[in-house]
Amino acid sequence: MAEGETDEEYLDRRDAQYERLLSYEPTTIADYAHQPDHGFWGDREFERKFQEEHSKRAGNYLIAYPKVARLLRRGVVRCPTRGCFLADVFLFPLEPSGERTLALTNLTRGESRTSWVNWEYSDNWHVAPIYLPASCRHGSARLPLGWFEEIVATVEGWKHVLHTHEEVYARLPEELRRGKASRTFHPPAALWRPK
Ligand SMILES: [Zn+2]
């Protein structure tokens, strides 16, 4: 809080900043993934809500522009029973360099959920979401955000500098190894709850 500011003034200022940042229309794809310096670092409620809405804006953009979505998509998650769509994982370019991963899941009731996977928080333990729910009429799963990052690493062939690709590949969990070529993945068996 700024000096001499009442709680109410603080919340008003916070709301105004939230509205201002989210009403800004990105002009490039990299803009969609850019994490602005919002000035409310340490306010967990603000950080959580801001990331959620910020990722939703990027998800809506991809839903509106399927051609861009195809370019940015790195993997699809499907249900193990009938192959229903459960989630997409995208890689957005960042300026001047780097990438940001976006996970988008589908729920039976026609909703979708989004989250940036690699997003900065003041306190990862208490603010960062750890999973996104996904479901179809055959079952449901809570998909860990870290797992989406592993999908991207698998598809992109990212590896630790000390390991060869073969070593990394041999060590991958079964469900990631199988999905690598087709870029289609199934939730880890331990997480899938059939109906
Ligand atoms: Zn299904």
Side-chain angles (χ1 to χ4, degrees):
M1 273 173 50
E3 213 179 320
E5 195 177 38
T6 65
D7 285 0
E8 203 173 331
E9 284 164 347
Y10 172 80
L11 292 175
D12 284 349
R13 186 162 60 84
R14 195 179 73 166
D15 283 352
Q17 174 70 322
Y18 181 80
E19 292 299 326
R20 190 179 73 79
L21 289 173
L22 289 168
S23 62
Y24 161 74
E25 281 291 331
T27 52
T28 67
I29 294 173
D31 268 355
Y32 275 96
H34 174 68
Q35 179 169 3
D37 181 7
H38 51 62
F40 287 87
W41 199 248
D43 183 327
R44 293 175 186 175
E45 189 182 294
F46 180 92
E47 287 185 52
R48 196 177 294 128
K49 195 169 141 196
F50 182 68
Q51 187 282 129
E52 205 177 299
E53 291 301 318
H54 191 282
S55 67
K56 202 180 283 177
R57 184 175 67 182
N60 287 339
Y61 166 70
L62 294 180
I63 290 166
Y65 295 94
K67 276 187 183 167
V68 180
R70 262 201 300 281
L71 285 172
L72 303 187
R73 186 180 291 116
R74 290 299 179 275
V76 182
V77 182
R78 296 191 175 279
C79 104
T81 313
R82 285 290 177 85
C84 312
F85 168 70
L86 289 177
D88 269 330
V89 54
F90 301 98
L91 209 50
F92 277 71
L94 284 173
E95 292 290 344
S97 64
E99 279 127 350
R100 204 182 302 286
T101 304
L102 182 83
L104 190 157
T105 62
N106 197 42
L107 295 168
T108 318
R109 53 184 183 271
E111 290 171 30
S112 62
R113 293 285 174 81
T114 55
S115 182
W116 292 114
V117 175
N118 47 343
W119 188 254
E120 307 278 331
Y121 301 95
S122 60
D123 176 347
N124 276 315
W125 290 109
H126 295 100
V127 188
I130 52 175
Y131 68 84
L132 286 180
S135 59
C136 66
R137 57 202 181 87
H138 306 107
S140 63
R142 289 174 165 190
L143 301 172
L145 292 186
W147 185 65
F148 287 107
E149 195 70 342
E150 284 172 33
I151 288 182
V152 174
T154 302
V155 170
E156 296 289 291
W158 291 346
K159 62 181 184 69
H160 191 277
V161 285
L162 296 177
H163 296 139
T164 65
H165 282 287
E166 289 72 20
E167 280 169 344
V168 172
Y169 188 72
R171 231 175 273 185
L172 283 176
E174 178 70 16
E175 89 277 354
L176 289 178
R177 214 161 38 206
R178 275 199 308 235
K180 192 178 182 337
S182 62
R183 294 188 172 195
T184 302
F185 299 84
H186 298 298
L191 300 180
W192 180 247
R193 286 161 201 273
K195 262 184 192 155

